[in-house]
Structures are given as structure tokens and as C-alpha cells.
Amino acid sequence: MTAPNRNHARPALLGELCAEFAGTMVLILFGCGVVAQVVAGGALTKPPGGLGAHDSIAWAWGLGVTFGVYVSARLSGAHINPAVTLALATFRDFPWRKVLPYTVAQTLGAFIGALLVRWNYTEALAHADPGHTVKTQFVFSTLPGNGVLPVSEWGALRDQIIGTAILMLLIFAVTDVLNDPPKANLGPFIIGLIVVAIGMAWGGDAGYAINPARDFGPRLASFLTGYHGAWRDQYGNFYFWVPIVGPLVGGLVGAALYKVLISRYLPVPGPEVGRVPPPE
């Protein structure tokens, strides 16, 4: 007698949510982890020493996206970002009933990943910033102008809309089978490079959260572990809403631009002109 295939008995949605949780957690382990290492090493204030700098941050965030996508792609499609989930539901027929569960799983994965980073770097962060202030808050969540440049929350909102629009435009481009997508399973690597490029070109005004779960989950984790000003920016204004609203709006803008400018003009596959279609 053949043993039953237990995989078919497991709820499909549960597997998808586990994948989104794991993929987003991996993203945060590398992303928040590299910022913690850089801040704890003093690289931002004491060049050329320390344990990294802006470029290492950009690369590690990009690689975190790559690894997170590889972890979760087969089961869930590797959204690992509520802005991606919302855009796919709006423009690519992703089921709306899954949007909220995916968002919760992504945010929980980011929260747990940030707790692990916070725990691992407890001593180093306490040494760098005993009061757990805005000086090290950006290890976990973003700030306007990275807490240094004179950028308001409205300027940061603009930045998040533009940055996420770029992200979504490019994600739609490299995942569209009617376009010219990467071959040999290189899609996650290319998407990681997109995030690296955004970090290097659009990282100054608002820390390129471009992902509500990436910001809110770690922000909540830091608040619960001693960063009592986590919901505010360096000016004392409530800021946590900016990296939530900005990416959600920007993701829709980028997806709409791809649909209007590119996808509706792509040819639908069919028999080549002058050739007899092969038999069914």
C-alpha cells in the first residue's frame, strides 16, 4: 500500500504564510543585522574604521532580499513586502482574500527577525547608545534623512512613494513572462540588485524602507525592548506611518506605470509568421 502524500493534506495557505514569514525574517536578519554591525562598530562616525559603511548596508539589504526570495518563492511567490502583495492583488489577480494574511505573516516575520538582531547585539548597542535613543533607533526602523539630514516627514513620504514605485516597476518588469525575465532562476538575484541600487541611489532621504512590514515589525520590536521613542522621528513627530503609507501608495504607482507604459504593448505569444502551428 502506498503511503498517503501528507503534503496534499496540509492547508495550502498555511504553507504560503509560513514561507512569507520565513522569507521576511531572513530579509530582516541580514538587513537590520548589517545596520547593527555598522552602528555598533562606529563606522558611520569614525571612518575609515568600524565594521562597514553605507555600501555594506546597501549590499546586505539587497542580499537579504535575494535570500528571502529564494527561501519563499516556491510556496508563496516571495512577496515579503505588503506593498508587493497589494500591487499584485490590484494588477495581477492575486486573491484579495490573501492580502491581509500575507501582510500579517510578513510583519510577524520582520518582528521576529528584528527581535533576534536586538538580542544578538544587546551589548554592542548598549555600549554605542546606553539610552537607546534615535542614535541607534535606525538600526531597526527608518528616520527622515536617516536622522541626520534636514528632511521632513513629508519629504520622506515623497521619497518612499518614489522609491517604492521604482521597486515595483522593476519587479513587474523582471517577473513578467511576456517581457524578457531573467533565466536560470536568477530572478531573486536580480531583484536583490534592484534593492542594492535603490539603497545606493535613494537611501538618504528616508532610509529606503520601501516595505511596510520591514519597518513596522522591527519598529515594534525595538519599542518593546527599550526604544521608547520608536514611533517618533528626531524632531519628535509621529513618523511610523510614513514608511507604511508611502510604500503602499508607491507600489501601486509603480505597478500602474508598468501596466500603462509596458505590459499592454507586449506581444502575446503565438505562432511565428510564416510557420504552420504545430499539432495539438
Side-chain angles (χ1 to χ4, degrees):
M1 180 181 293
T2 303
N5 187 341
R6 292 190 177 89
N7 287 332
H8 293 302
R10 295 169 184 162
L13 180 58
L14 178 60
E16 294 172 29
L17 299 182
C18 288
E20 287 296 303
F21 170 88
T24 313
M25 183 177 67
V26 167
L27 163 64
I28 296 302
L29 289 174
F30 283 94
C32 288
V34 70
V35 184
Q37 180 170 274
V38 168
V39 170
L44 296 180
T45 55
K46 301 175 183 177
L51 300 172
H54 176 76
D55 285 357
S56 64
I57 291 174
W59 278 106
W61 274 110
L63 290 171
V65 169
T66 295
F67 300 146
V69 172
Y70 275 125
V71 164
S72 56
R74 182 66 182 270
L75 284 176
S76 69
H79 300 187
I80 61 174
N81 182 341
V84 173
T85 302
L86 178 62
L88 290 174
T90 304
F91 292 99
R92 287 198 175 169
D93 298 323
F94 181 75
W96 280 100
R97 64 181 176 82
K98 293 184 179 181
V99 171
L100 181 58
Y102 266 52
T103 299
V104 172
Q106 293 154 0
T107 304
L108 184 58
F111 174 76
I112 297 300
L115 283 181
L116 289 171
V117 172
R118 179 73 174 90
W119 181 33
N120 189 62
Y121 282 95
T122 298
E123 298 87 355
L125 291 174
H127 175 75
D129 180 20
H132 301 312
T133 67
V134 71
K135 180 180 177 182
T136 56
Q137 172 60 40
F138 69 92
V139 167
F140 302 98
S141 54
T142 58
L143 290 165
N146 288 323
V148 178
L149 298 177
V151 179
S152 69
E153 61 265 34
W154 298 107
L157 179 65
R158 174 196 63 220
D159 173 271
Q160 286 298 284
I161 292 173
I162 296 172
T164 315
I166 295 170
L167 173 70
M168 202 62 58
L169 171 67
L170 295 175
I171 286 178
F172 269 47
V174 301
T175 59
D176 190 344
V177 295
L178 297 180
N179 202 340
D180 190 18
K183 304 298 192 297
N185 201 24
L186 284 175
F189 179 70
I190 301 302
I191 292 172
L193 289 181
I194 291 169
V195 174
V196 172
I198 292 173
M200 289 182 172
W202 292 84
D205 272 8
Y208 71 108
I210 56 177
N211 181 339
R214 167 266 175 274
D215 195 88
F216 182 79
R219 193 181 295 271
L220 178 60
S222 66
F223 174 75
L224 294 176
T225 57
Y227 286 87
H228 301 303
W231 306 113
R232 299 180 182 270
D233 59 21
Q234 64 267 33
Y235 311 116
N237 301 317
F238 276 109
Y239 182 76
F240 73 94
W241 62 273
V242 171
I244 296 174
V245 174
L248 292 176
V249 173
L252 294 176
V253 171
L257 285 173
Y258 183 77
K259 181 173 183 178
V260 170
L261 298 176
I262 304 297
S263 68
R264 63 175 177 162
Y265 298 111
L266 292 172
V268 177
E272 295 181 43
V273 176
R275 291 183 179 270
V276 177
E280 294 283 335

